[in-house]
Amino acid sequence: MQSWRRKSLWLALSASWLLVLLRVFPLLRLAVPARPWAGAPQGWPRWLDAELLQSFSQPGELPEDDPQLPQAPRGGSCDWGACFDVSKCRGGGLKVFVYPVAGPISDTHRRILASIESSRSRSVSPDEACILLLLSLEAPAGECIPVPQQWNGGRNHLVLSLHPAFCTQTFQLGQAMVAKASPMVDTFRPGFDVALPLLPEAHPLRGGAPGRLGQHSPHPGVPLLALAEERGGWRTAGPDSSACPWDGRCEQDRGPEQTHPGATLPNATFCLIPGHRPDALHFLQALQAGCIPVLLSPRWELPFSEVIDWTKAAIVADERLPFQVVAALQEMPPTRVLALRQQTQFLWDAYFSSVEKVIHTTLEIIQDRIFGASAHPSLLWNSPPGALLALPTFSTSPSDFPFYYLQRGSRPVGRFSALIWVGAPGQLPLKLIQAVAGSQHCAQILVLWSSEKPPPPRWPKTAVPLTVLEGQRKVSDRFFPHRAISTDAILSLDAQSSLTTSEVDFAFVVWQSFPERMVGFLTLSHFWDEARGGWGYTAERANEFSVVLTSAALYHRYYHILFTHYLPKALRALADEAPTCVDILMNFLVAAVTKLPPLKVPYGKQHLEARPPLAPEGLESQPPVQDCINRMAVEFGYMPLVSSRLRLDPVLFKDPVSVLRKKYRSLEKP
Amino acid sequence: MCASVKYNIRGPALIPRMKTKHRIYYVTLFSIVLLGLIATGMFQFWPHSIESSSDWNVEKRSVRDVPVVRLPANSPSPERGDLSCRMHTCFDVYRCGFNPKNKIKVYIYSLKKYVDDAGVPVSNTISREYNELLTAISDSDYYTDDISRACLFVPSIDVLNQNTLRTEETAQALAQLSRWDRGTNHLLFNMLPGGPPDYNTALDVPRDRALLAGGGFSTWTYRQGYDVSIPVYSPLSAEVDLPEKGPGPRRYFLLSSQMAVHPEYREDLEALQARHGESVLVLDKCTNLSEGVLWVRKRCREHQVYDYPQVLQEGTFCVVLRGARLGQAVLSDVLRAGCVPVVIADSYILPFSEVLDWKRASVVVPEEKIPDVYGILQSIPQRQIEEMQRQARWFWEAYFQSIKAIAMATLQIINDRIYPYAALSYEEWNDPPAVKWSSVSNPLFLPLIPPQSQGFTAIVLTYDRVESLFRVITEVSKVPSLSKLLVVWNNQNKNPPEDSVWPKIRVPLKVVRTAENKLSNRFFPYDEIETEAVLAIDDDIIMLTSDELQFGYEVWREFPDRLVGYPGRLHLWDHEMNKWKYESEWTNEVSMVLTGAAFYHKYFNYLYTYKMPGDIKNWVDAHMNCEDIAMNFLVANVTGKAVIKVTPRKKFKCPECTAIDGLSLDQTHMVERSECINKFASVFGTMPLKVVEHRADPVLYKDDFPEKLKSFPNIGSL
């Protein structure tokens, strides 16, 4: 029995031990501070009466608010709604009046005037003008422009100054908008003033130097950082001298670094630019060089910040954290570096490379404010080809433009309109009409009748609707955005063109893959003629080409809008004078927009033999015609044409396989 | 032996005998010990889940029990707000320090009740919304409870509504916060600023350098790049269940639902209604509602009663007109209803305007243009209106919906400023999910034809076919634009041949030895690749001529964002099997080029190695197949573009070979390749490959033209 008692004692003991264990443990746990146990920090408390808390605004409180009319703008401050009178801006084009400047006209002034001249704006008298433009130029010390007569408190005035030498003392700017280079953030009125880039003295009027980016990704040997130096040069640091900040703190180990004197372009992946205003000049250099600008607490507003999304092309960092910035740059994923680099180049080419682009961009921004809801969407400003070339008058939806199909996940309408231009009297293009109408992709045929003779009353019956449009007997009329055009793709033809149905079919299928380019059959190539010191072009068959003839070409209808509303009048007049120039002009335009060559598709030999060449005979013997390429190159400011060495053929084109396998077999007829 | 046997026999009998006396005892003892062990173990090793589920360490307290702080009448007060503040002048970034996650740390002061000398409270302790807001911050990744590591401080003093607080005393309360330091790095949330009679557009509480997240800023009070403009939350409508209504034309073209509208503006609106009849609806407060009806949820026009906010869903455009304050809660309701807000409030800074593109979701009309509103809106095409309706609804869902959404967007904006290199992009902020899904952003978007002088790097993947490899090297080295040749030696059991045995070529030749025989080694972004163009070529592709390769490189220069290759293949939908099928017959279409001989941009090597979706990379390595199909999927998916097949060449290994060389003839091979396509299509969630009917030939290919004048005469026909 002894053992029994001992056993029960053991049982009681262990039971009580367990009890103690169970009760003490929670106490122990509470005694220990919560954090090392918890891992989760002690957050904002969950109040027991959280549900009972009152709302910050009681029903009825808001409506009781005393409605008031707006207060007058406080001194100096202005915004678009309060200080600009839009009522004068109705009607097509921006109506601009430029104050004449007394005395000698400076070089910059001349460039600005020429830029305004070539823009889509119209000059009018000061009473009708929507914007009165006052050029503020580098006046000699102490001298300022007098207050003009129509000043009216500065209302609807734009004071434009490309260089920071700026004279504000003589008159109150009041309600005038100020467009000046690198304005200080503190005085800049967002949405009202316009921030311009700080341009070098000798910035070209047109065209401008192309971006220096030769390749998409940085070359492996290129240093990571370049630092803007005070005297305008750049100091590059090798990829290894990593955490070398900009305060001159690493003056002692300047071994691997190089100093570039003068205003050479930096050759690095990132360009560190201090935030003081004189350094703003470096900003454009970096953009041009494709070096990603890293702005250290800039005290100035970035150019065109109202519309340009600078986060896509530059990095605004805090100068107080040098080591972190450098570390972040080193660890930046290649994808981001790639995107930033490309964006710098796009922005440089689209808005900054010439005085003309800067001025046009400024006017476009103001135009956008006037347009309100029908202004450029942000995408148009911030992806190629840019807002100067993507006009919102065509559409405010990016999906309608040929450039953004992929970005927007949309596609062009799957058919085309044939636009046949009948200029000189001659035979009706009946065969051509039948061939084109036979295409399964053809939606309509439009005959643009530009001949002296009236059009015949009867036209052949076709599978698709045929409409005759009365033209204005000008060659440039071919590229007018006729309302009757109902599809995205246009097949431009003239009465002498000769095509087969399968050629048309194949060309259209190719165009669908490249909706922003021109797809043509017959080509020219341009070349630099050393002997004459100018551009020339030849229709001789060569290993490369850069122009497709528009007497048989497929392209997006948007180019009609650009041709008619974007090109300066002088250029269109030039095309009217010498009709062959129209091909080159259209190709110039498309190449300037896409920066890419046109595409060539196969063209049957039989056409070439059956009729005189599409290109006018004896090009060489007609100097004025030959010369139009040079005049256009001058107007554009550069040579936009790009050469291609390839032709797109059907996959089984002329392969020694059974003809029955081939989809476009009639393309191969001898 | 015998004894032990005996014992063994007795053994089993022992327990039945114990039944009477000891069994209960032993079983109980055993289970007690076991229980004790289990309990101990549970407490030792299972602490976290128990805790978080039962909120053990979050105190359950009442708001009424919070400590009371008495503010002496003469306690210091901060300066008024400094209008010139910018991030780089008034914000102390050193507190944010280095942070690998690029995320700021936010500290919340604990809740206190402030009273003045006389014991009168300074303000309501905390409102429901501010409590929600602080809870949201506390639950987010931004939160820290360590005040010394925080970069941003959020006082628990509720200033959402200026009317519920005493300005001077609240300022004194702010000034005595432990890390106040002139308000540096402190963030205040305010939705209803100003008070009668002049209604300032920013909080009147003196706050020195503190950041203000305010609803109703005007251009004169908003410090661009420093303050954050936030919406005015609409607590009433949050309680209403409103099913989403899709975009499209609605009953009323223009609708005005606000009650407190200045008489002059109301006149203008009424005039619009008179002129345009049924398509304009101007509502007002109801005057003769029966008792018990919540009048804030009703709107009237003459005697017709409408439910609010439901009525907003009947409007295409809805007026958001300023009252005494610029920021109006109705904006949130209007967005929610998918109605396009017509914002008529001069100088108003729209919520989150630093990052949101309001042009896509609203129309801003100057106050003096109210009579013209109808005409302005009529000029907007229907498609754009629907786009705006969609966008308006998406803004509400993402940034207006709840106090939490507002708080998170505010912190994200500040975070983006402090870590600009990790900031969200315009598209991430503004594109609705549907657009994000369907759109493609080509990583090589800049139209650029790389200079020919750069040349290309040929990468030959080889295992042990040395003879064939040498032949390929010799052939490729004849191509003028070749700048370097890289041999990837994928055989770990065998050393590459001696240096002296390799063919002597005019460009540098490098051999890279791999650690494992994997197909993905072919696409590794080796440091040795210096050119952008890469030619991937198999060690048995001996038929390609130098002209063909040089031409291929020229074609790549015109299409640097595409795969430009020689062997073309096609994917087809098999209607019988209901899945994708691989096709290597000579067809009229192409959707893939094999990387046995293809040019591409070296960036795709990086993408293949580090950014390949799902498990595709490992799957390919495990199956030793389909790396080329995977590359085609990857490039097509990221660029949205088709491949380019160059030249008619269809035979690559030997002249006698049939179209589909050796291995490919194998039926099981075809089945495997089809499987790959189906597998990849399911991982990508879509079929990115694009079918085209063209290939690239030299301009004068097969033209009637003297061969010797052609740039690329030696283009094989099969």
Side-chain angles (χ1 to χ4, degrees), chain A residues 44 48-49 54 56 215 217 320 336 342 396 407 644 647 649 651 655 661 663-664, chain B residues 61-62 91 128-129 131 324-325 384 421 439 443 454 532 558 586 588 650 693 695 697:
Chain A
W44 181 252
L48 284 173
D49 43 4
Q54 282 195 328
F56 77 109
Q215 53 180 53
S217 48
R320 291 170 292 177
R336 185 94 201 279
Q342 294 176 73
T396 46
Q407 266 152 295
S644 169
R647 182 183 72 200
D649 293 334
V651 174
D655 281 353
R661 273 174 175 257
K663 186 172 171 188
Y664 300 98
Chain B
R61 284 186 297 153
S62 163
F91 194 86
R128 187 168 67 223
E129 284 78 14
N131 180 45
R325 296 192 177 97
Q384 194 183 346
Y421 20 80
S439 69
Q454 213 188 92
E532 289 199 293
E558 292 190 33
W586 298 355
N588 285 290
K650 287 168 191 66
E693 300 183 12
R695 71 168 194 237
D697 288 332

Short mmCIF file of all heavy atoms in Angstrom, two decimals, chain A residues 44 48-49 54 56 215 217 320 336 342 396 407 644 647 649 651 655 661 663-664, chain B residues 61-62 91 128-129 131 324-325 384 421 439 443 454 532 558 586 588 650 693 695 697:
data_model
loop_
_atom_site.label_atom_id
_atom_site.label_comp_id
_atom_site.label_asym_id
_atom_site.label_seq_id
_atom_site.Cartn_x
_atom_site.Cartn_y
_atom_site.Cartn_z
N TRP A 44 -0.59 51.47 -34.27
CA TRP A 44 -1.63 52.36 -33.80
C TRP A 44 -2.70 51.53 -33.13
O TRP A 44 -3.10 50.49 -33.67
CB TRP A 44 -2.21 53.10 -35.00
CG TRP A 44 -3.28 54.07 -34.67
CD1 TRP A 44 -4.60 53.92 -34.94
CD2 TRP A 44 -3.13 55.32 -34.02
NE1 TRP A 44 -5.29 55.01 -34.50
CE2 TRP A 44 -4.41 55.90 -33.92
CE3 TRP A 44 -2.04 56.03 -33.50
CZ2 TRP A 44 -4.64 57.13 -33.34
CZ3 TRP A 44 -2.26 57.25 -32.92
CH2 TRP A 44 -3.54 57.80 -32.83
N LEU A 48 -11.31 50.58 -28.68
CA LEU A 48 -12.54 49.82 -28.40
C LEU A 48 -13.75 50.54 -28.97
O LEU A 48 -14.68 49.93 -29.45
CB LEU A 48 -12.71 49.65 -26.88
CG LEU A 48 -11.79 48.62 -26.25
CD1 LEU A 48 -11.92 48.68 -24.75
CD2 LEU A 48 -12.14 47.24 -26.77
N ASP A 49 -13.69 51.87 -28.90
CA ASP A 49 -14.85 52.64 -29.32
C ASP A 49 -14.64 53.29 -30.70
O ASP A 49 -15.18 54.34 -30.98
CB ASP A 49 -15.20 53.70 -28.28
CG ASP A 49 -13.95 54.40 -27.75
OD1 ASP A 49 -12.85 54.10 -28.27
OD2 ASP A 49 -14.07 55.24 -26.85
N GLN A 54 -16.76 60.14 -34.10
CA GLN A 54 -17.53 60.97 -35.03
C GLN A 54 -16.75 61.20 -36.31
O GLN A 54 -15.52 61.20 -36.32
CB GLN A 54 -17.80 62.31 -34.37
CG GLN A 54 -18.92 62.23 -33.36
CD GLN A 54 -19.41 63.60 -33.00
OE1 GLN A 54 -18.63 64.54 -32.99
NE2 GLN A 54 -20.69 63.70 -32.71
N PHE A 56 -15.24 63.38 -39.45
CA PHE A 56 -14.59 64.70 -39.42
C PHE A 56 -15.50 65.79 -39.95
O PHE A 56 -15.37 66.94 -39.61
CB PHE A 56 -13.28 64.67 -40.20
CG PHE A 56 -13.43 64.72 -41.69
CD1 PHE A 56 -13.08 65.85 -42.41
CD2 PHE A 56 -13.93 63.63 -42.39
CE1 PHE A 56 -13.22 65.90 -43.78
CE2 PHE A 56 -14.07 63.68 -43.76
CZ PHE A 56 -13.72 64.80 -44.46
N GLN A 215 23.77 53.84 -80.01
CA GLN A 215 23.22 52.53 -79.68
C GLN A 215 22.30 52.65 -78.49
O GLN A 215 22.38 53.59 -77.71
CB GLN A 215 24.33 51.53 -79.42
CG GLN A 215 25.34 51.99 -78.39
CD GLN A 215 26.41 50.94 -78.19
OE1 GLN A 215 27.03 50.48 -79.13
NE2 GLN A 215 26.61 50.55 -76.95
N SER A 217 21.87 50.62 -75.78
CA SER A 217 22.40 50.37 -74.44
C SER A 217 23.79 50.99 -74.31
O SER A 217 24.48 51.16 -75.29
CB SER A 217 22.47 48.86 -74.19
OG SER A 217 23.06 48.23 -75.28
N ARG A 320 22.10 66.32 -51.02
CA ARG A 320 22.60 66.07 -49.67
C ARG A 320 22.93 64.60 -49.45
O ARG A 320 23.47 64.23 -48.42
CB ARG A 320 21.56 66.53 -48.65
CG ARG A 320 21.42 68.05 -48.61
CD ARG A 320 20.23 68.47 -47.79
NE ARG A 320 18.97 68.09 -48.43
CZ ARG A 320 17.79 68.29 -47.87
NH1 ARG A 320 17.71 68.81 -46.67
NH2 ARG A 320 16.68 67.94 -48.50
N ARG A 336 15.81 50.13 -66.82
CA ARG A 336 15.56 51.55 -66.55
C ARG A 336 16.59 52.41 -67.26
O ARG A 336 16.25 53.43 -67.87
CB ARG A 336 15.60 51.76 -65.03
CG ARG A 336 15.24 53.14 -64.56
CD ARG A 336 13.77 53.26 -64.19
NE ARG A 336 13.32 54.65 -64.20
CZ ARG A 336 13.52 55.51 -63.21
NH1 ARG A 336 14.14 55.11 -62.13
NH2 ARG A 336 13.11 56.75 -63.30
N GLN A 342 17.19 56.31 -73.93
CA GLN A 342 16.46 56.52 -75.18
C GLN A 342 15.57 57.75 -75.09
O GLN A 342 15.43 58.50 -76.04
CB GLN A 342 15.62 55.29 -75.51
CG GLN A 342 16.46 54.08 -75.82
CD GLN A 342 15.58 52.85 -76.05
OE1 GLN A 342 14.93 52.72 -77.06
NE2 GLN A 342 15.57 51.96 -75.09
N THR A 396 -7.67 63.17 -80.53
CA THR A 396 -7.10 63.27 -79.19
C THR A 396 -6.88 61.89 -78.59
O THR A 396 -6.44 61.76 -77.47
CB THR A 396 -8.03 64.06 -78.25
OG1 THR A 396 -9.35 63.57 -78.44
CG2 THR A 396 -7.98 65.54 -78.55
N GLN A 407 1.64 50.48 -78.21
CA GLN A 407 1.52 50.98 -76.85
C GLN A 407 0.09 50.92 -76.34
O GLN A 407 -0.14 50.75 -75.16
CB GLN A 407 1.99 52.44 -76.79
CG GLN A 407 3.43 52.60 -76.41
CD GLN A 407 3.99 53.87 -77.00
OE1 GLN A 407 4.09 54.00 -78.20
NE2 GLN A 407 4.35 54.80 -76.16
N SER A 644 17.67 52.18 -97.01
CA SER A 644 17.42 50.80 -96.62
C SER A 644 18.04 49.89 -97.68
O SER A 644 18.16 50.27 -98.85
CB SER A 644 15.92 50.54 -96.53
OG SER A 644 15.68 49.16 -96.40
N ARG A 647 14.40 44.45 -99.22
CA ARG A 647 13.08 44.45 -99.82
C ARG A 647 12.29 43.37 -99.11
O ARG A 647 12.84 42.31 -98.79
CB ARG A 647 13.21 44.14 -101.32
CG ARG A 647 11.91 44.14 -102.08
CD ARG A 647 12.15 43.76 -103.52
NE ARG A 647 12.46 42.34 -103.62
CZ ARG A 647 13.09 41.77 -104.66
NH1 ARG A 647 13.50 42.52 -105.67
NH2 ARG A 647 13.32 40.48 -104.68
N ASP A 649 9.79 40.51 -99.30
CA ASP A 649 9.18 39.60 -100.27
C ASP A 649 8.28 38.62 -99.54
O ASP A 649 8.46 38.38 -98.35
CB ASP A 649 10.28 38.81 -101.00
CG ASP A 649 11.14 39.70 -101.88
OD1 ASP A 649 10.65 40.75 -102.31
OD2 ASP A 649 12.30 39.33 -102.12
N VAL A 651 7.18 35.06 -98.17
CA VAL A 651 8.12 34.11 -97.59
C VAL A 651 8.66 33.11 -98.62
O VAL A 651 9.83 32.77 -98.59
CB VAL A 651 7.46 33.38 -96.40
CG1 VAL A 651 8.36 32.29 -95.88
CG2 VAL A 651 7.16 34.36 -95.28
N ASP A 655 11.19 30.94 -104.63
CA ASP A 655 11.86 29.74 -104.13
C ASP A 655 11.58 28.59 -105.10
O ASP A 655 10.49 28.52 -105.67
CB ASP A 655 11.31 29.36 -102.75
CG ASP A 655 11.92 30.21 -101.65
OD1 ASP A 655 12.84 30.99 -101.96
OD2 ASP A 655 11.46 30.11 -100.51
N ARG A 661 2.20 25.84 -103.71
CA ARG A 661 2.39 26.14 -102.29
C ARG A 661 2.30 27.63 -102.01
O ARG A 661 2.10 28.04 -100.87
CB ARG A 661 3.80 25.73 -101.87
CG ARG A 661 3.97 24.30 -101.44
CD ARG A 661 5.45 24.06 -101.20
NE ARG A 661 5.69 22.74 -100.66
CZ ARG A 661 5.96 22.52 -99.38
NH1 ARG A 661 6.05 23.51 -98.54
NH2 ARG A 661 6.15 21.29 -98.94
N LYS A 663 1.38 31.58 -101.87
CA LYS A 663 0.17 32.37 -101.75
C LYS A 663 0.14 33.50 -102.79
O LYS A 663 -0.89 33.82 -103.35
CB LYS A 663 0.10 32.96 -100.34
CG LYS A 663 -1.19 33.69 -100.06
CD LYS A 663 -1.30 34.08 -98.59
CE LYS A 663 -2.49 35.01 -98.35
NZ LYS A 663 -2.51 35.53 -96.99
N TYR A 664 1.30 34.11 -103.02
CA TYR A 664 1.35 35.24 -103.95
C TYR A 664 2.05 34.82 -105.23
O TYR A 664 3.07 35.37 -105.61
CB TYR A 664 2.06 36.43 -103.31
CG TYR A 664 1.39 36.91 -102.05
CD1 TYR A 664 1.84 36.52 -100.81
CD2 TYR A 664 0.29 37.76 -102.12
CE1 TYR A 664 1.21 36.95 -99.66
CE2 TYR A 664 -0.35 38.20 -100.98
CZ TYR A 664 0.11 37.80 -99.74
OH TYR A 664 -0.52 38.22 -98.62
N ARG B 61 -8.14 49.71 -25.78
CA ARG B 61 -8.41 50.83 -24.90
C ARG B 61 -9.48 51.69 -25.52
O ARG B 61 -9.77 51.60 -26.70
CB ARG B 61 -7.14 51.66 -24.69
CG ARG B 61 -6.16 51.02 -23.75
CD ARG B 61 -5.03 51.97 -23.48
NE ARG B 61 -4.30 52.27 -24.68
CZ ARG B 61 -3.63 53.40 -24.88
NH1 ARG B 61 -3.64 54.33 -23.96
NH2 ARG B 61 -2.97 53.59 -25.99
N SER B 62 -9.99 52.59 -24.75
CA SER B 62 -10.98 53.53 -25.26
C SER B 62 -10.29 54.85 -25.56
O SER B 62 -9.33 55.23 -24.91
CB SER B 62 -12.08 53.73 -24.23
OG SER B 62 -12.78 54.90 -24.56
N PHE B 91 13.15 69.98 -46.01
CA PHE B 91 12.98 68.58 -45.62
C PHE B 91 14.33 67.99 -45.29
O PHE B 91 15.31 68.20 -46.01
CB PHE B 91 12.33 67.81 -46.77
CG PHE B 91 11.80 66.47 -46.37
CD1 PHE B 91 10.53 66.34 -45.84
CD2 PHE B 91 12.58 65.33 -46.51
CE1 PHE B 91 10.05 65.11 -45.46
CE2 PHE B 91 12.09 64.09 -46.13
CZ PHE B 91 10.81 63.98 -45.60
N ARG B 128 -13.29 59.76 -36.80
CA ARG B 128 -13.32 58.39 -37.32
C ARG B 128 -12.35 58.27 -38.50
O ARG B 128 -11.58 57.33 -38.59
CB ARG B 128 -14.73 58.03 -37.77
CG ARG B 128 -14.87 56.58 -38.17
CD ARG B 128 -16.31 56.21 -38.31
NE ARG B 128 -16.93 56.91 -39.43
CZ ARG B 128 -18.14 57.47 -39.39
NH1 ARG B 128 -18.85 57.40 -38.30
NH2 ARG B 128 -18.63 58.09 -40.44
N GLU B 129 -12.37 59.26 -39.38
CA GLU B 129 -11.53 59.19 -40.58
C GLU B 129 -10.05 59.27 -40.23
O GLU B 129 -9.24 58.56 -40.80
CB GLU B 129 -11.88 60.31 -41.56
CG GLU B 129 -13.16 60.09 -42.32
CD GLU B 129 -14.39 60.38 -41.49
OE1 GLU B 129 -14.25 61.00 -40.41
OE2 GLU B 129 -15.50 59.98 -41.90
N ASN B 131 -8.68 58.39 -37.46
CA ASN B 131 -8.32 57.12 -36.86
C ASN B 131 -8.09 56.06 -37.94
O ASN B 131 -7.12 55.32 -37.90
CB ASN B 131 -9.43 56.68 -35.90
CG ASN B 131 -9.11 55.36 -35.23
OD1 ASN B 131 -7.99 55.16 -34.77
ND2 ASN B 131 -10.07 54.45 -35.23
N ALA B 324 -17.48 77.75 -50.83
CA ALA B 324 -16.59 78.63 -50.11
C ALA B 324 -15.18 78.05 -50.18
O ALA B 324 -14.19 78.77 -50.22
CB ALA B 324 -17.03 78.77 -48.68
N ARG B 325 -15.12 76.72 -50.18
CA ARG B 325 -13.83 76.05 -50.29
C ARG B 325 -13.65 75.56 -51.71
O ARG B 325 -14.62 75.25 -52.41
CB ARG B 325 -13.76 74.87 -49.33
CG ARG B 325 -13.82 75.28 -47.87
CD ARG B 325 -13.44 74.11 -47.00
NE ARG B 325 -13.42 74.50 -45.60
CZ ARG B 325 -14.44 74.29 -44.76
NH1 ARG B 325 -15.53 73.70 -45.20
NH2 ARG B 325 -14.34 74.67 -43.51
N GLN B 384 -13.73 59.92 -76.69
CA GLN B 384 -12.92 60.50 -75.63
C GLN B 384 -13.71 60.59 -74.33
O GLN B 384 -13.16 60.38 -73.25
CB GLN B 384 -12.44 61.88 -76.07
CG GLN B 384 -11.31 62.43 -75.21
CD GLN B 384 -10.91 63.84 -75.62
OE1 GLN B 384 -11.28 64.31 -76.69
NE2 GLN B 384 -10.15 64.50 -74.77
N TYR B 421 14.78 57.57 -57.92
CA TYR B 421 15.20 56.52 -58.84
C TYR B 421 14.33 55.28 -58.71
O TYR B 421 14.44 54.36 -59.48
CB TYR B 421 16.67 56.15 -58.62
CG TYR B 421 17.19 56.56 -57.28
CD1 TYR B 421 16.94 55.81 -56.15
CD2 TYR B 421 17.92 57.74 -57.14
CE1 TYR B 421 17.39 56.21 -54.91
CE2 TYR B 421 18.37 58.16 -55.90
CZ TYR B 421 18.11 57.38 -54.79
OH TYR B 421 18.54 57.79 -53.57
N SER B 439 -1.33 46.91 -73.18
CA SER B 439 -0.32 47.71 -73.87
C SER B 439 1.05 47.06 -73.78
O SER B 439 1.34 46.32 -72.86
CB SER B 439 -0.28 49.11 -73.28
OG SER B 439 0.23 49.05 -71.98
N PRO B 443 11.05 47.91 -74.98
CA PRO B 443 12.23 48.44 -74.29
C PRO B 443 13.20 49.14 -75.23
O PRO B 443 14.02 49.93 -74.79
CB PRO B 443 12.87 47.20 -73.67
CG PRO B 443 12.35 46.06 -74.45
CD PRO B 443 10.99 46.45 -74.95
N GLN B 454 29.92 49.31 -85.67
CA GLN B 454 29.94 48.58 -84.41
C GLN B 454 30.12 47.08 -84.59
O GLN B 454 30.78 46.43 -83.81
CB GLN B 454 28.61 48.86 -83.72
CG GLN B 454 28.68 48.90 -82.24
CD GLN B 454 27.29 48.97 -81.67
OE1 GLN B 454 26.68 47.95 -81.36
NE2 GLN B 454 26.77 50.17 -81.56
N GLU B 532 26.17 45.59 -79.54
CA GLU B 532 24.74 45.42 -79.26
C GLU B 532 24.18 44.23 -80.02
O GLU B 532 23.30 43.54 -79.55
CB GLU B 532 23.97 46.66 -79.66
CG GLU B 532 24.23 47.84 -78.78
CD GLU B 532 23.12 48.85 -78.93
OE1 GLU B 532 23.03 49.43 -80.02
OE2 GLU B 532 22.35 49.04 -77.99
N GLU B 558 18.37 47.61 -89.32
CA GLU B 558 17.12 48.31 -89.59
C GLU B 558 15.99 47.89 -88.65
O GLU B 558 15.00 48.59 -88.51
CB GLU B 558 16.70 48.09 -91.06
CG GLU B 558 17.66 48.77 -92.02
CD GLU B 558 17.15 48.78 -93.46
OE1 GLU B 558 15.92 48.86 -93.65
OE2 GLU B 558 17.99 48.69 -94.37
N TRP B 586 7.55 24.24 -95.17
CA TRP B 586 7.77 25.51 -95.86
C TRP B 586 6.43 26.16 -96.13
O TRP B 586 5.71 25.82 -97.05
CB TRP B 586 8.51 25.28 -97.17
CG TRP B 586 9.86 24.69 -96.96
CD1 TRP B 586 10.49 24.45 -95.78
CD2 TRP B 586 10.76 24.26 -97.99
NE1 TRP B 586 11.71 23.92 -95.98
CE2 TRP B 586 11.92 23.78 -97.34
CE3 TRP B 586 10.71 24.25 -99.38
CZ2 TRP B 586 13.00 23.28 -98.04
CZ3 TRP B 586 11.79 23.75 -100.08
CH2 TRP B 586 12.93 23.28 -99.41
N ASN B 588 3.77 29.78 -96.17
CA ASN B 588 3.75 31.17 -96.60
C ASN B 588 3.87 32.14 -95.43
O ASN B 588 3.85 33.34 -95.62
CB ASN B 588 2.45 31.47 -97.35
CG ASN B 588 2.47 30.88 -98.74
OD1 ASN B 588 3.20 31.35 -99.60
ND2 ASN B 588 1.69 29.82 -98.94
N LYS B 650 16.76 27.79 -96.49
CA LYS B 650 15.98 26.86 -95.69
C LYS B 650 16.80 25.66 -95.25
O LYS B 650 16.40 24.91 -94.36
CB LYS B 650 14.76 26.38 -96.48
CG LYS B 650 13.71 27.46 -96.60
CD LYS B 650 12.64 27.10 -97.60
CE LYS B 650 11.77 28.32 -97.90
NZ LYS B 650 12.50 29.40 -98.58
N GLU B 693 3.80 37.49 -93.30
CA GLU B 693 3.90 36.80 -94.58
C GLU B 693 5.11 37.26 -95.38
O GLU B 693 5.20 36.99 -96.57
CB GLU B 693 2.61 37.03 -95.38
CG GLU B 693 1.38 36.51 -94.68
CD GLU B 693 0.11 36.67 -95.52
OE1 GLU B 693 0.22 36.97 -96.72
OE2 GLU B 693 -0.97 36.48 -94.97
N ARG B 695 9.43 38.15 -95.81
CA ARG B 695 10.80 37.92 -95.38
C ARG B 695 11.64 39.03 -95.99
O ARG B 695 11.17 39.76 -96.88
CB ARG B 695 11.29 36.54 -95.85
CG ARG B 695 11.52 36.47 -97.33
CD ARG B 695 12.28 35.21 -97.75
NE ARG B 695 12.73 35.41 -99.11
CZ ARG B 695 12.43 34.59 -100.12
NH1 ARG B 695 11.72 33.50 -99.93
NH2 ARG B 695 12.88 34.85 -101.33
N ASP B 697 14.74 40.30 -98.19
CA ASP B 697 15.73 39.94 -99.19
C ASP B 697 16.50 41.20 -99.57
O ASP B 697 16.00 42.31 -99.37
CB ASP B 697 15.05 39.40 -100.45
CG ASP B 697 14.46 38.02 -100.23
OD1 ASP B 697 14.98 37.27 -99.38
OD2 ASP B 697 13.46 37.69 -100.91
#
